[in-house]
Amino acid sequence: MYDIRLWSVRHARLFEGFYRLFERSYVAMAPLIRRIGVERVEKPVAAVERIVKGTLFDCRMCGRCVLSSTGMSCPMNCPKQMRNGPCGGVRANGHCEVRPQMRCVWVQAYEGSRRMSGGHAILDVQKPVDRSIEGSSSWIRVMQEKAPASTRTPVAETHGT
Ligand code: SF4
């Protein structure tokens, strides 16, 4: 999977465009999801998300995806799980100090962000990892946050969104 992860960062621009379209379509599905019930769709959607993003990005299902801000390099693959840039231990060859065989995910993130039109988002400060939403679908979370208020499922009925 490591090679696929590197490939995905090399094609960050492509994934950026694809994700924009994909996000628009699932946000548009908010009224339908509300009708079916978020609690019913959360698990199957999370299962699909785990397979797709696990294959492409070595996703760890942190529950709040930041790939669009990190050059399509998942920061949860950092052994220290740094969400806001590299630690001080990046090797001179750009590899990780903990796993010397692996490129630093933040070196990757920088390279991926240079390929993206919205790459400046790498400067955004990310919230710390919220362990209470680990394993949940970030697609559902984004849908809940971006859909018009009238089409969202009320917060109390969702898992931590
Ligand atoms: S940031 Fe979180 S949701 Fe996004 S790919 Fe990484 S672990 Fe998965």
Side-chain angles (χ1 to χ4, degrees):
M1 295 297 180
Y2 178 60
D3 287 340
I4 298 177
R5 188 206 306 177
L6 299 185
W7 178 86
S8 297
V9 171
R10 281 200 303 276
H11 294 84
R13 182 69 183 255
L14 176 76
F15 282 109
E16 179 185 34
F18 175 78
Y19 181 70
R20 273 199 194 133
L21 291 175
F22 178 61
E23 183 187 281
R24 242 180 266 159
S25 47
Y26 70 71
V27 168
M29 287 170 68
L32 175 67
I33 303 283
R34 181 177 176 155
R35 214 174 265 190
I36 299 171
V38 166
E39 68 291 344
R40 283 207 190 113
V41 297
E42 218 283 338
K43 271 195 182 160
V45 171
V48 173
E49 186 173 338
R50 186 184 294 276
I51 292 168
V52 173
K53 286 164 60 181
T55 304
L56 292 170
F57 309 106
D58 275 345
C59 169
R60 306 298 166 105
M61 294 298 284
C62 69
R64 183 169 289 281
C65 196
V66 291
L67 284 173
S68 306
S69 305
T70 57
M72 299 293 159
S73 172
C74 171
M76 302 308 283
N77 289 303
C78 165
K80 301 176 189 177
Q81 301 198 335
M82 306 287 288
R83 297 275 282 193
N84 282 293
C87 70
V90 186
R91 292 168 188 262
N93 64 357
H95 283 225
C96 171
E97 72 167 347
V98 180
R99 293 189 200 140
Q101 71 284 6
M102 183 183 88
R103 299 248 301 150
C104 169
V105 299
W106 280 100
V107 170
Q108 289 289 107
Y110 178 76
E111 291 173 0
S113 73
R114 297 306 88 197
R115 298 180 179 114
M116 294 166 66
S117 62
H120 53 83
I122 199 169
L123 298 174
D124 295 348
V125 177
Q126 301 299 334
K127 292 179 186 168
V129 180
D130 179 353
R131 301 288 174 196
S132 71
I133 59 171
E134 244 173 9
S136 64
S137 168
S138 60
W139 291 343
I140 295 280
R141 183 155 291 100
V142 169
M143 182 197 76
Q144 286 285 77
E145 289 172 354
K146 296 204 170 174
S150 59
T151 64
R152 285 183 216 150
T153 302
V155 173
E157 295 174 31
T158 65
H159 303 283
T161 47

